[in-house]
Amino acid sequence: MPKIELARVNGDYGFVATDENGHSVKMDSNPQSGGLDFGVRPMQMLLMGLGGCSAIDVIGILKKQRQEVKDYKMIINGDREAGKEPSLWSNIDIEFHLYGNIDPDKAQKAVELSVDKYCSVAATLEKAGAEIKYKVFVHATA
């Protein structure tokens, strides 16, 4: 079972979370609620986790298909439920930007497999009620 340790290190709401391998991330609340902008907001971290999870899937699938991924970027935007506590992610839009000698159909299929089947973070967010939409852009490089 993964183990995370969290320690307050900056002001009232500045924390560092560390996993069992020593990897750490800084978190904080927003300044409007007393944070000092020390780190990522926990809800933003969920979107970051979605990006990382899906990126690992997509690149892995394309490598197995012998596609040459020279670079990779994602843009993730999300809307949260208004006027609710807790305020969950309701809509998430993702742009996948793949660079290299990549078949666009294979890129599209890899993204579909990731978001709809393999990415545990996507599945978790969807079970919480989020609708995830995505677009795939392949940028050919020489």
Side-chain angles (χ1 to χ4, degrees):
M1 173 180 294
K3 176 182 172 186
I4 304 294
E5 290 186 20
L6 184 121
R8 186 168 80 170
V9 297
N10 189 339
D12 289 335
Y13 305 112
F15 301 96
V16 171
T18 307
D19 71 8
E20 66 270 15
N21 296 311
H23 304 110
S24 62
V25 65
K26 299 186 300 185
M27 289 182 281
D28 197 356
S29 182
N30 64 44
Q32 295 82 0
S33 63
L36 300 173
D37 208 24
F38 169 73
V40 175
R41 311 296 177 264
M43 287 297 286
Q44 292 171 336
M45 195 172 307
L46 287 173
L47 297 183
M48 291 178 177
L50 171 61
C53 180
S54 188
I56 290 167
D57 290 342
V58 170
I59 291 171
I61 292 166
L62 291 173
K63 283 181 73 164
K64 287 178 184 173
Q65 296 176 340
R66 294 191 167 91
Q67 300 297 294
E68 182 184 11
V69 181
K70 289 190 175 182
D71 202 359
Y72 183 97
K73 294 180 184 174
M74 293 173 74
I75 299 169
I76 305 169
N77 291 294
D79 291 317
R80 291 173 64 183
E81 299 170 320
K84 289 188 175 182
E85 290 295 331
S87 177
L88 305 180
W89 291 112
S90 56
N91 297 295
I92 300 170
D93 294 307
I94 309 171
E95 288 183 13
F96 291 82
H97 292 269
L98 295 97
Y99 301 81
N101 185 15
I102 303 165
D103 180 318
D105 292 334
K106 289 183 178 184
Q108 181 71 33
K109 185 63 175 174
V111 169
E112 287 174 14
L113 285 169
S114 174
V115 175
D116 298 335
K117 185 174 182 180
Y118 295 122
C119 178
S120 299
V121 179
T124 299
L125 288 165
E126 287 175 330
K127 282 191 180 201
E131 180 181 3
I132 301 174
K133 297 178 186 172
Y134 53 85
K135 295 179 184 174
V136 180
F137 301 91
V138 174
H139 308 277
T141 58

